[in-house]
Amino acid sequence: RAILDSMKDGVYVIGQKYEVLYANPALEKELGPLKGHNCYDYLFDQPGVCSWCNNMKVFAGETIQWEGQSLKTGKIYNIFDTPFVGPDGTLCKLGIRRDITERKKVEEALIDSEKQLRSLSNQLMKAQETERKRIARELHDELGQSLLVMKLRLNFIEDNLLSHQTNLKRECEDGIQYIDQVIENIRRLSRYLSPAILEDFGLSAALRWLINNFAKRYNMQVMMDMADIDSLLPSHFHVVVYRTVQEALT
């Protein structure tokens, strides 16, 4: 009893008729004097036996650890209930409850923080994809068309050169080849920034295209064994997987 009296956690002993036989000073300081209360009104401010009562299990020999909130204090407790033989040899329930309200608040705050972080991450991903699409569209529509016009003008100049102007014709041909190479690079960059194949044909096709083009571009041998995985993930996760593989390859 001296040990139980000295504990900072609340300790109680309950009889088989729900009567509270003992409450240590820490528990009485929180709930008030014992005065012959039953466990359901003293501990939880309930008018009758609690719907979550585990007395029968404990009296059957089972030790139970659980979490519960008291309407009387508004606090959340980690509760340890175990069978206990009293001084007169009768079977009782010994309970120890520890206030974990602050810990639960911290846990909830952490969960909320993680949700906010995931939300911000999703928003950032969406913003990045929107910007990638905008840049890809400008590269394809604006710069690509401008280069095409330049190529047509060089073709026109080449076609109108005199037969003896071979050096100028060669320069035009080299310029046209260079423009073709730049146009192809722009198309490749545009596809890299915003792959239309991902939206048109799905994740599996996009990953195969990405890996095969990567292998060709860098002259690498790549072994790929992949089933169709589109149905395994929600569509808004496809771009995340695609970007992850893209970064891994890079």
Side-chain angles (χ1 to χ4, degrees):
R1 179 164 188 142
I3 294 174
L4 299 181
D5 284 348
S6 66
M7 290 180 64
K8 294 182 179 180
D9 294 328
V11 182
Y12 51 84
V13 176
I14 296 173
Q16 297 190 33
K17 295 182 180 180
Y18 304 101
E19 69 275 22
V20 182
L21 303 174
Y22 164 79
N24 74 338
L27 192 62
E28 286 194 321
K29 181 179 179 181
E30 184 178 29
L31 303 180
L34 189 54
K35 294 181 181 178
H37 284 283
N38 291 321
C39 58
Y40 44 81
D41 65 337
Y42 187 64
L43 296 175
F44 296 102
D45 204 21
Q46 296 290 309
V49 177
C50 304
S51 58
W52 59 86
C53 181
N54 58 28
N55 283 11
M56 298 303 295
K57 292 182 179 180
V58 175
F59 292 142
E62 187 176 347
T63 295
I64 300 175
Q65 185 170 358
W66 56 290
E67 290 183 3
Q69 185 171 11
S70 172
L71 297 176
K72 194 169 187 177
T73 64
K75 297 179 179 179
I76 302 172
Y77 300 93
N78 184 19
I79 303 172
F80 177 85
D81 290 327
T82 189
F84 176 77
V85 178
D88 58 356
T90 57
L91 184 63
C92 305
K93 180 175 81 169
L94 171 68
I96 303 174
R97 70 179 200 172
R98 173 168 292 177
D99 183 0
I100 57 170
T101 307
E102 291 302 319
R103 192 188 80 188
K104 298 300 287 188
K105 287 181 179 179
V106 171
E107 289 176 357
E108 291 175 1
L110 180 60
I111 292 173
D112 290 341
S113 177
E114 290 175 348
K115 287 181 180 179
Q116 292 177 8
L117 184 60
R118 282 195 296 269
S119 176
L120 289 173
S121 178
N122 289 334
Q123 291 177 24
L124 178 61
M125 175 68 74
K126 290 178 181 178
Q128 287 177 338
E129 289 304 316
T130 300
E131 185 65 9
R132 287 173 187 262
K133 288 180 180 179
R134 185 190 66 80
I135 295 173
R137 186 167 55 250
E138 289 189 2
L139 284 174
H140 182 271
D141 296 344
E142 299 293 333
L143 188 56
Q145 290 181 13
S146 297
L147 288 170
L148 186 59
V149 170
M150 187 181 297
K151 176 183 175 181
L152 293 174
R153 287 183 175 179
L154 283 176
N155 278 323
F156 177 79
I157 293 172
E158 181 184 11
D159 292 340
N160 287 274
L161 288 174
L162 300 177
S163 58
H164 66 276
Q165 295 177 301
T166 54
N167 289 336
L168 290 177
K169 284 190 174 184
R170 192 177 302 110
E171 289 292 333
C172 287
E173 290 174 356
D174 291 343
I176 291 170
Q177 291 179 0
Y178 180 73
I179 290 175
D180 285 337
Q181 181 180 352
V182 174
I183 290 175
E184 181 57 34
N185 288 337
I186 288 175
R187 287 174 178 169
R188 177 183 53 78
L189 182 58
S190 178
R191 289 194 298 267
Y192 180 87
L193 286 171
S194 181
I197 190 173
L198 182 61
E199 296 181 1
D200 296 339
F201 298 100
L203 177 60
S204 300
L207 288 177
R208 291 189 180 97
W209 173 85
L210 173 67
I211 293 170
N212 289 329
N213 276 271
F214 185 88
K216 290 178 182 177
R217 183 183 177 193
Y218 293 102
N219 194 26
M220 295 175 64
Q221 184 177 1
V222 179
M223 302 289 291
M224 179 171 57
D225 181 12
M226 184 187 71
D228 289 334
I229 59 175
D230 295 54
S231 61
L232 303 180
L233 295 168
S235 58
H236 57 278
F237 284 156
H238 289 187
V239 67
V240 179
V241 176
Y242 181 87
R243 294 301 181 195
T244 302
V245 175
Q246 190 178 58
E247 290 295 327
L249 288 171
T250 303

